[in-house]
């Protein structure tokens, strides 16, 4: 099984990089896990709606270039479907049991995801309606994917 996390921008803080690396190591027991970073576009605070769309479209093109047709794609979106940890574990297990061995999760840039990326998505996930820094969201996501595997393996980790 292959799990890919496609993200916009780099993780600047060492403590976030260390946490992500720890979950990558833990996940290696269960799957091939890979984080792919695409460059973010410079986005000053005062952008027009058209300029914001242009930034999202450029980042979206970079994201789409990292996807293949066979991947089952989840986009992380504030208005996406909210899962409990157990529901996410069940979803991952069902998808991989029924022929989807390449799962990709996408975290967009600071302005969000382009319409083209959302259209390519097979499903959405929301970690709640609050806003998290994208670097922290990567850590939270990695932990939840690890938790899903631990749940599916009957480990007491998630309690």
């Amino acid at each position: 099984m292959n799990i890919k996390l496609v993200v916009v921008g780099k993780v600047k803080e060492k403590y976030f990089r260390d946490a992500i690396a720890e979950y990558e190591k833990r996940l290696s027991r269960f799957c091939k896990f890979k984080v792919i970073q695409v460059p973010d576009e410079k986005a000053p605070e005062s952008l027009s709606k058209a300029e914001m769309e242009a930034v999202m479209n450029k980042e979206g093109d970079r994201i789409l270039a990292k996807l293949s047709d066979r991947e089952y794609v989840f986009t992380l979106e504030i208005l996406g479907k909210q899962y409990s940890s157990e529901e996410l574990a069940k979803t991952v297990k069902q998808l991989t049991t029924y022929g989807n061995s390449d799962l990709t999760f996408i975290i967009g840039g600071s302005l969000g995801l382009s319409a083209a990326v959302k259209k390519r998505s097979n499903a959405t996930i929301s970690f709640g309606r609050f806003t998290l820094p994208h670097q922290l969201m990567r850590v939270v996501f990695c932990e939840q994917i690890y938790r899903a595997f631990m749940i599916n393996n009957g480990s007491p980790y998630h309690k």
Side-chain angles (χ1 to χ4, degrees), residues 1-4 27-28 30-34 101 103:
M1 162 192 289
N2 300 302
I3 295 188
K4 185 164 64 176
L27 281 163
S28 68
F30 305 109
C31 65
K32 286 184 180 177
F33 180 75
K34 182 165 47 169
S101 61
L103 304 182

Side-chain angles (χ1 to χ4, degrees), residues 56-117:
M56 287 189 295
N57 288 338
K58 285 179 185 176
E59 291 174 347
D61 290 344
R62 292 177 188 144
I63 291 168
L64 292 170
K66 302 298 180 185
L67 306 179
S68 71
D69 291 341
R70 72 176 187 280
E71 295 172 50
Y72 191 95
V73 176
F74 289 88
T75 46
L76 277 68
E77 302 181 38
I78 288 175
L79 299 177
K81 179 180 177 184
Q82 291 189 20
Y83 292 80
S84 67
S85 295
E86 293 81 5
E87 290 168 336
L88 180 59
K90 183 179 177 184
T91 299
V92 167
K93 188 175 190 172
Q94 286 177 331
L95 285 169
T96 56
T97 299
Y98 295 105
N100 294 293
S101 61
D102 295 315
L103 304 182
T104 297
F105 298 83
I106 299 171
I107 300 175
S110 61
L111 298 177
L113 295 165
S114 70
V117 172

Side-chain angles (χ1 to χ4, degrees), residues 95-157:
L95 285 169
T96 56
T97 299
Y98 295 105
N100 294 293
S101 61
D102 295 315
L103 304 182
T104 297
F105 298 83
I106 299 171
I107 300 175
S110 61
L111 298 177
L113 295 165
S114 70
V117 172
K118 289 180 180 183
K119 183 177 179 187
R120 170 60 181 89
S121 177
N122 298 100
T124 61
I125 293 182
S126 173
F127 281 78
R129 293 182 50 198
F130 46 81
T131 301
L132 291 173
H134 288 205
Q135 298 179 73
L136 177 58
M137 189 63 239
R138 293 179 201 185
V139 175
V140 171
F141 170 80
C142 290
E143 192 283 332
Q144 284 299 300
I145 288 296
Y146 176 69
R147 183 176 296 269
F149 279 103
M150 296 303 282
I151 290 168
N152 287 340
N153 282 277
S155 169
Y157 169 84

Side-chain angles (χ1 to χ4, degrees), residues 42-47:
K42 300 291 180 248
E45 292 296 317
S46 58
L47 292 177

